Amino acid sequence: MASSGDHASNEIALEFQKKVLSRPMTEVRMMANAVRALAIDGVQKANSGHPGMPMGMADVATVLWTKFMKYDAADPHWADRDRFILSAGHGSMLLYSLLHLTGYENMSIEDLKNFRQLGSHTAGHPEREEHPAIEMTTGPLGQGISTATGFALAEKMLAARFGKSLVDHRTWVIASDGDMMEGVSHEACAIAGHLALNKICVLYDDNSISIDGSTEIAMTDDVVRRFIGYGWAAKRIDGHDPVAIEEAIKWAMRNRKPTLIACKTIIGFGAPTKAGTSGTHGSPLGNDEAAAAKALLGWTAPPFVVPEEVLTPWRAAGARGEGARRAWLKRLAGSNRRAEFDAAMASELPAAYSEAMDALRAKIAETKPNLATRVASQMALDAIVPVVPEMVGGSADLTPSNNTFVKSMGTCLPGDYSGRYIHFGVREHGMGTTLNGLALHGGLIPYGGTFFIFSDYCRPAIRLAALMRARSIFVLTHDSIGLGEDGPTHQPVEHLASFRAMPNVLVMRPGDAMETAECWDVAMHHKDGPVLMVLSRQNMPTLPRDHGAENLSARGGYVVIGAKHQRKATLIATGSEVAIAVQAHEMLAKEGIDVTVSSVPSFELFDKQDAGYREEVLGEAPRIGIEAAVGYGWDRYLGDNGTFIGMHSFGASAPYQKLYQHFGITAEAVVAAVKAKL
Amino acid sequence: MASSGDHASNEIALEFQKKVLSRPMTEVRMMANAVRALAIDGVQKANSGHPGMPMGMADVATVLWTKFMKYDAADPHWADRDRFILSAGHGSMLLYSLLHLTGYENMSIEDLKNFRQLGSHTAGHPEREEHPAIEMTTGPLGQGISTATGFALAEKMLAARFGKSLVDHRTWVIASDGDMMEGVSHEACAIAGHLALNKICVLYDDNSISIDGSTEIAMTDDVVRRFIGYGWAAKRIDGHDPVAIEEAIKWAMRNRKPTLIACKTIIGFGAPTKAGTSGTHGSPLGNDEAAAAKALLGWTAPPFVVPEEVLTPWRAAGARGEGARRAWLKRLAGSNRRAEFDAAMASELPAAYSEAMDALRAKIAETKPNLATRVASQMALDAIVPVVPEMVGGSADLTPSNNTFVKSMGTCLPGDYSGRYIHFGVREHGMGTTLNGLALHGGLIPYGGTFFIFSDYCRPAIRLAALMRARSIFVLTHDSIGLGEDGPTHQPVEHLASFRAMPNVLVMRPGDAMETAECWDVAMHHKDGPVLMVLSRQNMPTLPRDHGAENLSARGGYVVIGAKHQRKATLIATGSEVAIAVQAHEMLAKEGIDVTVSSVPSFELFDKQDAGYREEVLGEAPRIGIEAAVGYGWDRYLGDNGTFIGMHSFGASAPYQKLYQHFGITAEAVVAAVKAKL
């Protein structure tokens, strides 16, 4: 490795460690040592993992979990619990140890012994689906601290709706140097500061060590100054001094701004030789250092054993919140908002929703508008948002282009969270993490808009939503060269393929106003993952299809126009290109060439249909695929004898009609492709 | 739109505008008005574009381009010119107007009239390939200001190598609120501050307006305070006061830190009613407002006409640098480093390179090591870096995992840029933009490492590299479930597909040490776009293939083991899965089943081969594709009768051998798939 600075920081750390250990033993340190010992043991047994962070942050976490955080280990689903986010997800043994010590179900010593093994609850990084007390999946740095903005905003919005007697809790984050360096933390923490989300408290593990060595080799920015610039309150403390930790947390709880507590800690605290070095970050300590660390800490129990005198106060801490929870249940039971609150938390759609959707469909069927799908999406939102109070939305500074604002929503403001529209600023990534937090918190159905091209900027958040099955809805307009003059920097060509390849993501690219309404209807019922609504800038006609009650888009693909007699080809298109297929159909019909036009707004939904249905839509005749995007991935539908008409390069800057001509995505090209197959 | 705050800011802006216009006319304002008039005209004629920013920043740009910036319009290729980056690329008419006024070739009035038309040099956003004076493509916000870190670092590194007499220039950036909000600006500007890149000066268009309205609705963070936190010097000025602008630029040039000058400006300066509103940002002013703006500015010339008395001083400014350029040419001609300098700027590989590569190949052929490809990549770097002084590299805080450091490189430090290794910190996006800047500057061949999964975090930079054809090399290790215990947050499954779908990107996933060396050899010769080296964490054997002099990987795919008699199937694999195919081949051979094993390290290179060669590699027998990733996109090779063995979901946390078993990516599964075809 290059000059790591480890040596100097190791010396300083060992000096600091000596000083801390010379202080009289406290109950906090004894309890924290249980966390350290379990973290050491879990990582040693797996022979893989990150002991350094749990050892360093054990004191801070112990103070938080034993004195301040509101939770009841008996019920991880309690809606008014404080949320705890381990942004530094590599320190997962910290969280697993805390859950075990405080007495959560399904986090036994056996579970800790199975750390990082197939099928365990104790994955390498905390996985939301593995345990109900894991509020979110973390590990990709920056995501936890940034998703906290969404959790905390959800609390504010729900408190504005239901009042403090039902909603009054905090969001706690443990974050690392890596979280601070990631750009997403800038975006989301600036949003949190702007919106004055004072119930976020970030406990920053300021341990001065990253994988390459001392943070001095790469990270010399002043984190405290930066956060003050965001409108946060921020201070530095000794992260091994229980009194200082306690005072700082009290300060945070009193504060009217979001708070950052930079806790000066020693990574791998307790390790006699490796403390304060990157050597403790991502590898087991080794048997000798592990044993010596326990000795230095005064921990004499065998591996994976927590002595009764330490476990007892921990279990008591885990039950500390029982009274608060029972009092809350009583308030909920006595509330006249109870049914509404329960429905919101279950994300049940009201009866008025179906009525609004039916009315929208009827209107489109009657008027057959010629609209951009982004405008059709606005129509859908205008119908849905007023009748679904859980819907909250916003845009990354493209409101007039994304068509995401509904008049009755009101704007979410610092200090007044009754408005449902959020101005995220030019912060796609921060928007993505905020949407995820809003979705994971429960009680809200969030959506956010940007240009489809800028999905690249929030891709890590979309992936994490997919992994966590968070129902964040992304409204992605300007979906192809059809946006015209802004040119190739703004024209997605590979983005459809890139998201179709991502598991658990529902990508929908509707081809007219009716499909747009249908796709929104699918999105509103889709609870187990993110949805991408991929929408056009340019207008397109309503398709000449059956406009009855069935949601044809929900099948992912369907026949728009069937061949009259014998199908000579199937034209398969999505979004704005379905209209080109329809136009080609007309031209071919004039020449007596009989073809079918199929629309495939969603590959994922279509792939779930039975083989017979899929075969009907795709047909046995030669298949022509048409999409203003690269063809990567289309072969699955086109087969060995198919032809793809689309993009083979980045786009260009010109009026969009010229671009369609220039890149050969035209009805004429489709006609020629069909004829070449005859 | 939601509450925009436009109204209040409009009033304040009009008041400020009145004050500015009441000041006596200066030559700067007159010259700046030429920029404003051309920007208005270009956008009006295209009926599309962004007049607000050029009108607001015209005074700042005029002072910079007429008094300080070092350039000679007669030679945009002058190696020691200052670099100018329009990070707020939507204001492209500002740059085009400046290039026209200062007298660059291929930027005539006709070009300005063709703004945003197909095939013009004047695309909607500045496109690097359209004009040599466009240093980089901009438009996706955050990229320009962040790529500046790379440009400025290149200058420092080359100055350290060649001395100030040959390399001594600055990097100027015009950036917007959007640039400041994007997270990538945090990462890259923190790097610039850490490395004390004092020759960057960012002129920040602090106009308080974004698309959704006043920045107050979303952006209340203190930019100046934040940049001071990064180790920059930062101050605020009146962006319409030529004297203040001049003083501030002088201050920046004296400073020992990178500098940010926040210029308080009025978006759409001159527009009598729309100034200071988002209405001037992304739409033409309209004929009436355009005419009224010119009247208010005192601009009487017809559209697209610049009066002689204004053009003359502009052209003189464009020739200001001629003397400096001639003096530099003389110094270069007289330098004993001239040949070396020219070779570096042309990125010519030295003769020693081929020798080193040959020796590496011979060593691998002889020792047939069992290595992770990330370790094989380290071997390649150990061979290449010492003999190619243009190679500079680093890692986003994963040096020991990415295997990117070569001992002889030395570390690049603040104030001492002679070391060639850069610690980027946990800043993948900032690393990506820095690599792009290093590559675009010329004279360097940059590479940077992170985990493959975190390519998501720098995807916008990779896309821009592809669009600009910048030769940034990304070393992406831990490429599949093969990384094991860190689990699904760290295991790429969709990333290969997502980058294969992106135009102009060369993705290479070698399958052993020899292929790794070959892929590095391809990368070293690949000058027209980014290269992704996708590498394993886990070991794999050297493949039983021809180890002669031919670079088989350069063909993208090749036959590793040919069928002996009659090919019953072709096993097609990449990376670590080629070894599985070889193992399956052995098992099948024992049963007398004759199959071919083909390795396809690069789809892009393979697709460029002639049909005959491709057919030979893929064969006519049934094809089995094997890759520890999703199969999206594989159908192109497997055809209607193929079988794909790979991932169908996200991964899991466990030792990697267990994961390969769990997900059914095994030689046994391949054997079964072959038998099912017989």
Side-chain angles (χ1 to χ4, degrees):
Chain A
M1 196 188 325
S3 158
S4 70
D6 251 14
H7 182 68
S9 57
N10 183 212
E11 273 182 18
I12 297 164
L14 292 181
E15 199 56 43
F16 182 23
Q17 175 165 291
K18 207 167 142 189
K19 201 181 98 189
V20 173
L21 289 171
S22 71
R23 297 173 193 158
M25 177 66 99
T26 59
E27 189 180 46
V28 167
R29 202 198 308 155
M30 190 179 66
M31 291 172 78
N33 282 344
V35 173
R36 292 190 176 100
L38 290 174
I40 291 171
D41 294 342
V43 174
Q44 279 299 118
K45 178 139 197 314
N47 196 25
S48 166
H50 300 77
M53 195 283 251
M55 294 170 76
M57 284 296 279
D59 296 317
V60 172
T62 300
V63 171
L64 175 66
W65 281 63
T66 59
K67 294 183 195 272
F68 295 101
M69 202 166 85
K70 181 171 85 169
Y71 66 103
D72 181 355
D75 182 6
H77 300 285
W78 175 21
D80 201 34
R81 70 191 180 279
D82 283 0
R83 267 60 171 181
F84 175 78
I85 298 169
L86 187 71
S87 192
H90 54 271
S92 53
M93 273 304 302
L94 177 75
L95 179 54
Y96 303 148
S97 300
L98 291 167
L99 296 181
H100 169 74
L101 291 166
T102 50
Y104 279 87
E105 264 194 297
N106 295 316
M107 196 54 78
S108 65
I109 283 288
E110 270 320 295
D111 289 305
L112 301 188
K113 287 182 179 171
N114 278 322
F115 181 49
R116 296 187 154 230
Q117 303 309 305
L118 196 60
S120 77
H121 301 303
T122 48
H125 293 82
E127 306 283 339
R128 177 178 177 246
E129 299 212 311
E130 295 299 343
H131 196 283
I134 299 175
E135 300 288 353
M136 69 172 288
T137 299
T138 50
L141 292 174
Q143 294 294 317
I145 186 174
S146 303
T147 306
T149 295
F151 277 102
L153 181 56
E155 195 268 350
K156 291 287 191 193
M157 294 177 114
L158 290 168
R161 181 174 172 199
F162 292 107
K164 280 203 168 248
S165 76
L166 294 186
V167 184
D168 185 10
H169 55 267
R170 294 175 183 276
T171 302
W172 304 97
V173 179
I174 286 185
S176 62
D177 291 308
D179 289 304
M180 295 303 163
M181 287 190 264
E182 290 289 358
V184 63
S185 71
H186 163 58
E187 299 184 17
C189 295
I191 294 171
H194 172 73
L195 289 175
L197 301 178
N198 64 311
K199 284 158 100 179
I200 295 181
C201 175
V202 172
L203 299 153
Y204 161 39
D205 181 17
D206 187 12
N207 65 21
S208 307
I209 285 294
S210 66
I211 292 176
D212 277 7
S214 162
T215 51
E216 278 173 27
I217 63 172
M219 185 195 185
T220 44
D221 50 318
D222 182 337
V223 175
V224 165
R225 189 188 283 261
R226 172 183 154 219
F227 273 73
I228 290 172
Y230 294 150
W232 288 49
K235 59 159 45 178
R236 292 191 170 84
I237 63 162
D238 171 353
H240 296 297
D241 176 353
V243 176
I245 299 165
E246 207 169 315
E247 288 306 314
I249 292 177
K250 283 181 185 162
W251 163 83
M253 292 174 76
R254 285 193 308 268
N255 222 295
R256 304 187 70 164
K257 298 175 176 182
T259 48
L260 175 88
I261 303 172
C263 309
K264 186 49 81 182
T265 65
I266 300 165
I267 190 170
F269 181 88
T273 72
K274 292 186 180 175
T277 73
S278 56
T280 68
H281 166 76
S283 314
L285 292 183
N287 285 329
D288 293 350
E289 183 86 2
K294 289 184 185 175
L296 191 61
L297 292 167
W299 187 264
T300 54
F304 292 110
V305 173
V306 181
E308 205 54 40
E309 68 269 23
V310 182
L311 191 59
T312 302
W314 264 118
R315 288 288 151 93
R320 258 175 52 245
E322 193 189 344
R325 182 170 66 86
R326 290 195 187 283
W328 180 85
L329 283 169
K330 215 164 156 183
R331 289 200 299 279
L332 179 65
S335 167
N336 57 6
R337 309 287 297 278
R338 178 177 187 160
E340 202 190 332
F341 183 83
D342 287 344
M345 294 311 288
S347 295
E348 282 164 17
L349 295 177
Y353 167 77
S354 309
E355 288 160 27
M357 185 53 71
D358 290 348
L360 174 64
R361 292 183 61 99
K363 184 174 158 194
I364 294 168
E366 194 193 317
T367 59
K368 295 192 174 49
N370 185 40
L371 290 178
T373 49
R374 64 178 171 135
V375 177
S377 172
Q378 174 82 67
M379 282 174 67
L381 289 171
D382 285 343
I384 299 167
V385 168
V387 296
V388 183
E390 289 75 31
M391 287 280 278
V392 297
S395 164
D397 196 42
L398 288 168
T399 298
S401 300
N402 297 146
N403 301 81
T404 36
F405 180 63
V406 174
K407 277 199 182 123
S408 62
M409 296 178 88
T411 300
C412 179
L413 298 169
D416 175 2
Y417 309 94
S418 58
R420 291 195 273 153
Y421 196 77
I422 305 149
H423 288 288
F424 289 107
V426 188
R427 304 181 183 108
E428 299 83 8
H429 205 170
M431 177 176 77
T433 58
T434 303
L435 294 179
N436 288 350
L438 290 165
L440 292 172
H441 180 281
L444 297 168
I445 305 173
Y447 68 89
T450 184
F451 287 160
F452 189 25
I453 194 87
F454 299 134
S455 61
D456 280 349
Y457 276 79
C458 51
R459 191 173 172 91
I462 296 173
R463 186 180 207 263
L464 207 58
L467 204 51
M468 299 186 291
R469 297 201 175 268
R471 67 177 309 186
S472 305
I473 303 173
F474 291 83
V475 178
L476 302 166
T477 70
H478 297 59
D479 68 350
S480 75
I481 54 166
L483 65 85
E485 291 90 340
D486 274 345
T489 51
H490 285 57
Q491 291 161 355
V493 298
E494 75 278 20
H495 297 71
L496 283 165
S498 82
F499 284 111
R500 287 172 182 153
M502 191 183 279
N504 302 359
V505 178
L506 180 56
V507 181
M508 294 194 286
R509 185 172 188 244
D512 71 353
M514 183 62 88
E515 284 193 7
T516 305
E518 290 179 338
C519 289
W520 263 112
D521 192 36
V522 170
M524 293 301 293
H525 289 93
H526 187 81
K527 294 189 177 182
D528 61 347
V531 176
L532 310 193
M533 298 286 293
V534 179
L535 305 168
S536 78
R537 178 185 187 222
Q538 78 273 31
N539 287 347
M540 58 192 77
T542 295
L543 296 171
R545 52 162 263 196
D546 177 17
H547 289 124
E550 197 197 348
N551 184 331
L552 294 172
S553 301
R555 304 197 75 164
Y558 65 94
V559 171
V560 177
I561 311 173
K564 285 238 168 74
H565 307 289
Q566 199 204 340
R567 198 195 291 203
K568 298 285 191 206
T570 307
L571 314 183
I572 308 165
T574 81
S576 42
E577 286 70 66
V578 185
I580 291 174
V582 169
Q583 204 188 332
H585 173 275
E586 280 169 29
M587 290 161 68
L588 289 162
K590 280 183 191 152
E591 299 191 51
I593 302 168
D594 203 11
V595 302
T596 288
V597 175
S598 293
S599 174
V600 187
S602 170
F603 282 22
E604 295 84 13
L605 295 176
F606 184 62
D607 290 348
K608 285 185 189 156
Q609 305 303 310
D610 63 51
Y613 180 80
R614 278 185 283 132
E615 193 53 40
E616 186 192 318
V617 173
L618 299 177
E620 289 187 3
R623 299 165 183 170
I624 315 293
I626 313 146
E627 185 166 72
V630 298
Y632 194 86
W634 267 85
D635 305 81
R636 57 175 21 186
Y637 296 145
L638 302 183
D640 292 347
N641 191 29
T643 298
F644 179 73
I645 292 176
M647 297 295 292
H648 301 275
S649 68
F650 289 120
S653 170
Y656 81 90
Q657 302 90 337
K658 297 234 161 136
L659 293 176
Y660 272 84
Q661 288 289 335
H662 176 71
F663 290 108
I665 307 172
T666 61
E668 291 73 19
V670 175
V671 167
V674 170
K675 287 185 179 172
K677 301 286 183 193
L678 298 179
Chain B
M1 197 188 324
S3 158
S4 69
D6 251 13
H7 182 68
S9 57
N10 184 212
E11 273 182 18
I12 297 164
L14 292 182
E15 200 55 44
F16 182 23
Q17 176 166 292
K18 207 166 141 189
K19 200 180 99 191
V20 173
L21 289 172
S22 71
R23 297 174 192 158
M25 177 65 100
T26 59
E27 189 178 47
V28 168
R29 202 199 307 156
M30 189 180 68
M31 291 171 80
N33 282 345
V35 173
R36 293 189 175 100
L38 290 174
I40 291 171
D41 294 340
V43 173
Q44 280 299 120
K45 177 140 197 312
N47 196 26
S48 167
H50 301 77
M53 195 283 252
M55 293 170 76
M57 283 297 278
D59 295 316
V60 172
T62 299
V63 171
L64 175 66
W65 282 62
T66 59
K67 294 182 195 272
F68 295 101
M69 202 167 86
K70 181 171 87 169
Y71 66 103
D72 180 356
D75 183 6
H77 300 285
W78 175 23
D80 201 34
R81 70 192 179 279
D82 284 0
R83 267 60 172 180
F84 175 78
I85 298 168
L86 187 70
S87 191
H90 53 271
S92 54
M93 272 305 300
L94 176 74
L95 179 55
Y96 303 148
S97 301
L98 291 167
L99 296 182
H100 170 74
L101 290 166
T102 51
Y104 280 87
E105 263 194 297
N106 294 317
M107 196 53 77
S108 65
I109 283 289
E110 270 319 295
D111 289 305
L112 301 187
K113 286 182 179 171
N114 278 323
F115 181 49
R116 295 187 156 230
Q117 303 309 304
L118 197 60
S120 76
H121 301 303
T122 48
H125 294 82
E127 306 283 340
R128 177 177 177 246
E129 300 212 312
E130 295 299 343
H131 197 282
I134 300 174
E135 300 287 353
M136 68 171 288
T137 299
T138 51
L141 292 173
Q143 295 294 317
I145 186 173
S146 303
T147 306
T149 295
F151 276 102
L153 181 55
E155 195 267 350
K156 290 287 191 192
M157 293 178 114
L158 290 168
R161 181 174 171 197
F162 293 106
K164 280 203 167 248
S165 75
L166 294 186
V167 184
D168 185 11
H169 55 266
R170 294 176 182 276
T171 303
W172 303 97
V173 179
I174 287 185
S176 62
D177 292 308
D179 289 304
M180 296 302 163
M181 287 190 264
E182 289 290 359
V184 63
S185 71
H186 163 57
E187 299 184 17
C189 295
I191 295 171
H194 171 72
L195 289 175
L197 302 178
N198 65 311
K199 284 157 99 178
I200 295 181
C201 176
V202 173
L203 299 153
Y204 161 38
D205 181 17
D206 187 11
N207 65 20
S208 307
I209 285 293
S210 67
I211 292 175
D212 278 9
S214 163
T215 51
E216 278 174 27
I217 63 172
M219 187 196 184
T220 44
D221 48 319
D222 182 337
V223 175
V224 165
R225 189 188 281 262
R226 173 184 153 217
F227 273 73
I228 290 172
Y230 294 150
W232 288 48
K235 58 160 46 178
R236 292 191 170 84
I237 63 164
D238 171 352
H240 296 297
D241 176 353
V243 176
I245 299 165
E246 207 170 315
E247 288 306 314
I249 292 177
K250 282 182 186 162
W251 164 84
M253 291 174 77
R254 284 193 309 269
N255 221 296
R256 304 186 70 164
K257 298 176 176 181
T259 48
L260 175 88
I261 303 172
C263 309
K264 186 50 81 182
T265 65
I266 299 165
I267 190 170
F269 182 88
T273 71
K274 292 187 180 176
T277 72
S278 55
T280 68
H281 166 77
S283 315
L285 292 184
N287 285 330
D288 292 349
E289 184 86 1
K294 289 184 185 173
L296 192 61
L297 292 167
W299 187 264
T300 54
F304 293 110
V305 173
V306 181
E308 205 54 40
E309 68 270 24
V310 182
L311 191 59
T312 302
W314 264 117
R315 288 288 151 94
R320 258 174 53 245
E322 193 189 344
R325 181 170 66 86
R326 291 197 185 281
W328 180 85
L329 283 169
K330 215 165 158 184
R331 288 200 299 279
L332 179 65
S335 167
N336 57 6
R337 309 287 296 278
R338 178 178 186 160
E340 201 190 332
F341 183 84
D342 287 344
M345 294 311 288
S347 295
E348 282 164 19
L349 294 177
Y353 167 78
S354 309
E355 288 160 27
M357 184 53 72
D358 290 347
L360 174 64
R361 293 182 61 99
K363 184 175 159 193
I364 295 168
E366 194 192 317
T367 59
K368 295 191 176 49
N370 185 38
L371 291 178
T373 49
R374 64 179 170 135
V375 177
S377 171
Q378 174 82 66
M379 282 174 66
L381 288 171
D382 285 342
I384 298 167
V385 168
V387 296
V388 183
E390 289 75 30
M391 288 280 277
V392 298
S395 165
D397 196 41
L398 287 168
T399 298
S401 299
N402 296 146
N403 300 81
T404 35
F405 180 62
V406 174
K407 278 198 181 123
S408 61
M409 297 178 88
T411 300
C412 179
L413 299 169
D416 176 2
Y417 309 94
S418 58
R420 291 195 273 154
Y421 196 77
I422 305 150
H423 288 288
F424 290 106
V426 188
R427 303 181 183 109
E428 299 83 8
H429 205 171
M431 177 176 77
T433 58
T434 303
L435 294 180
N436 288 349
L438 290 165
L440 292 173
H441 180 281
L444 298 167
I445 305 173
Y447 67 88
T450 184
F451 288 161
F452 189 25
I453 194 87
F454 299 133
S455 61
D456 280 348
Y457 276 79
C458 50
R459 192 173 171 91
I462 296 174
R463 187 180 206 264
L464 207 58
L467 204 50
M468 299 186 291
R469 299 206 175 263
R471 67 177 310 188
S472 306
I473 303 172
F474 291 83
V475 179
L476 303 166
T477 70
H478 296 60
D479 68 350
S480 75
I481 54 165
L483 66 86
E485 291 90 340
D486 274 344
T489 51
H490 285 58
Q491 291 161 354
V493 298
E494 74 279 20
H495 297 72
L496 284 165
S498 82
F499 284 111
R500 286 173 182 153
M502 190 183 279
N504 302 359
V505 178
L506 180 57
V507 181
M508 295 195 285
R509 186 173 187 243
D512 71 353
M514 183 61 88
E515 284 193 7
T516 306
E518 290 179 338
C519 289
W520 263 112
D521 192 36
V522 171
M524 293 301 293
H525 289 93
H526 187 79
K527 294 189 176 182
D528 62 347
V531 176
L532 310 192
M533 298 286 294
V534 178
L535 304 168
S536 78
R537 178 187 186 220
Q538 78 273 29
N539 288 346
M540 58 192 77
T542 294
L543 296 172
R545 51 162 265 197
D546 177 18
H547 289 127
E550 196 197 348
N551 184 331
L552 294 172
S553 301
R555 304 197 75 164
Y558 65 93
V559 171
V560 177
I561 311 174
K564 286 238 168 75
H565 308 290
Q566 199 203 342
R567 199 194 289 205
K568 298 286 192 205
T570 307
L571 313 183
I572 308 165
T574 81
S576 41
E577 286 69 66
V578 186
I580 292 174
V582 169
Q583 204 188 333
H585 173 274
E586 280 169 29
M587 291 161 68
L588 288 161
K590 281 184 192 152
E591 299 192 51
I593 302 168
D594 203 12
V595 302
T596 288
V597 174
S598 292
S599 174
V600 187
S602 170
F603 282 23
E604 295 84 13
L605 295 176
F606 184 61
D607 290 349
K608 284 184 190 157
Q609 305 304 310
D610 63 52
Y613 181 80
R614 278 185 284 133
E615 193 54 39
E616 187 192 317
V617 173
L618 300 177
E620 289 187 2
R623 299 165 184 171
I624 315 292
I626 314 147
E627 186 166 72
V630 297
Y632 193 85
W634 267 84
D635 305 82
R636 58 175 19 187
Y637 296 146
L638 302 182
D640 292 347
N641 191 28
T643 297
F644 178 73
I645 292 176
M647 296 296 292
H648 301 275
S649 68
F650 288 120
S653 170
Y656 80 90
Q657 302 91 337
K658 297 233 161 138
L659 293 175
Y660 271 84
Q661 288 289 335
H662 177 72
F663 290 109
I665 307 172
T666 60
E668 291 73 19
V670 175
V671 167
V674 170
K675 287 184 178 173
K677 301 288 183 193
L678 297 179

